[in-house]
Amino acid sequence: SDSDNVGQRLYVSNDLSGRQLIAGSNSSIEFPRQAMTANTSQNCVASASTTQDSPGAYVAFDKTVNFFWHSGYHKYDTTNLYAFTGSGYSSFESIYGEWIKIHFQVESFKLKELVVYPRYSQLNRTPDEGYVFGSLDGSTWTQLVNFTGIANSGGYNGYQNDVGKIINVSATTAYSYYVLLTTKLSAGAGAGGCVNISRIDLNSWDPATLTLTENTTGVTSTGTLGTDLVTRWRVPTDASS
């Protein structure tokens, strides 16, 4: 190239003919579609690494904050807030921490985000760091995101009563199983050292893919191999950019 821009290529499109929108509607659905009423209900199955002092894992998917999933006690170091490791402690895909799982028995979807709500008045027993996994068969798992710093996200310093924290996932594959694994709590959990979550919403998405295509209307080139190639572009009278 030289100062006269010989050899440069210019791409201009002033309408949609220069691009293609492939599939997708960007619409979102909140899952589960209906409130779960038991660990197996509404064509869903909920389970967890441990459950204590709560009806079951399903209450995290009952679309209210009235009840909560409570993991077993003394699963996290209350000084550094990370999950205990070693024999007798919970793990998922060889990563230590308490986890909660939901299986959608009759459908799959691409997960855009999780919205996680704390247990009322137990704001410190909530995820700050962890992982989200997806699977189609419940055996082979894909790590979708390793999240950090969730507690202080969303414009608040720490969790607030009745306010959900968003864990961005943006999965590009539809899965029917999802797992939320907590490796670190949001703050000191006192003697409990456990996870409490009152509600989890799984929001889907249908991402559209935008691809650019070459539009050569109005372009002419002159020249032969071994000589300067001169390209001219006739600017349309309605061009806006």
Side-chain angles (χ1 to χ4, degrees), residues 140-161:
T140 302
W141 293 90
T142 299
Q143 179 184 310
L144 302 178
V145 68
N146 173 202
F147 62 87
T148 61
I150 294 301
N152 292 329
S153 65
Y156 291 99
N157 184 20
Y159 280 83
Q160 309 293 314
N161 288 322

Side-chain angles (χ1 to χ4, degrees), residues 15-49:
D15 56 34
L16 291 178
S17 64
R19 53 185 176 174
Q20 292 180 323
L21 187 64
I22 302 178
S25 64
N26 287 320
S27 60
S28 182
I29 299 173
E30 182 182 283
F31 289 88
R33 294 177 184 269
Q34 296 176 297
M36 294 187 69
T37 56
N39 279 338
T40 300
S41 57
Q42 310 297 358
N43 293 317
C44 297
V45 178
S47 58
S49 49

Side-chain angles (χ1 to χ4, degrees), residues 156-195:
Y156 291 99
N157 184 20
Y159 280 83
Q160 309 293 314
N161 288 322
D162 303 323
V163 178
K165 294 288 188 178
I166 295 175
I167 300 173
N168 292 308
V169 178
S170 300
T172 56
T173 299
Y175 296 102
S176 53
Y177 294 79
Y178 288 101
V179 164
L180 170 62
L181 169 67
T182 300
T183 57
K184 183 184 178 184
L185 298 176
S186 60
C194 55
V195 181

Side-chain angles (χ1 to χ4, degrees), residues 20-187:
Q20 292 180 323
L21 187 64
I22 302 178
S25 64
N26 287 320
S27 60
S28 182
I29 299 173
E30 182 182 283
F31 289 88
R33 294 177 184 269
Q34 296 176 297
M36 294 187 69
T37 56
N39 279 338
T40 300
S41 57
Q42 310 297 358
N43 293 317
C44 297
V45 178
S47 58
S49 49
T50 60
T51 299
Q52 189 166 337
D53 298 340
S54 74
Y58 78 91
V59 295
F61 305 104
D62 69 357
K63 295 188 175 294
T64 76
V65 295
N66 297 331
F67 302 99
F68 52 89
W69 167 59
H70 189 309
S71 78
Y73 285 104
H74 312 301
K75 302 295 184 178
Y76 296 80
D77 187 315
T78 55
T79 299
N80 65 26
L81 309 180
Y82 285 100
F84 285 122
T85 62
S87 177
Y89 292 104
S90 302
S91 66
F92 191 85
E93 291 293 282
S94 301
I95 303 173
Y96 284 97
E98 295 297 299
W99 52 264
I100 186 168
K101 179 196 302 180
I102 186 167
H103 172 208
F104 298 90
Q105 295 177 296
V106 298
E107 60 187 336
S108 61
F109 60 90
K110 297 174 184 177
L111 180 61
K112 178 183 180 182
E113 62 193 14
L114 293 175
V115 186
V116 178
Y117 293 79
R119 173 188 175 186
Y120 192 85
S121 78
Q122 294 286 358
L123 305 178
N124 295 338
R125 295 180 174 182
T126 43
D128 185 46
E129 296 183 10
Y131 297 81
V132 178
F133 294 89
S135 176
L136 283 171
D137 58 10
S139 298
T140 302
W141 293 90
T142 299
Q143 179 184 310
L144 302 178
V145 68
N146 173 202
F147 62 87
T148 61
I150 294 301
N152 292 329
S153 65
Y156 291 99
N157 184 20
Y159 280 83
Q160 309 293 314
N161 288 322
D162 303 323
V163 178
K165 294 288 188 178
I166 295 175
I167 300 173
N168 292 308
V169 178
S170 300
T172 56
T173 299
Y175 296 102
S176 53
Y177 294 79
Y178 288 101
V179 164
L180 170 62
L181 169 67
T182 300
T183 57
K184 183 184 178 184
L185 298 176
S186 60

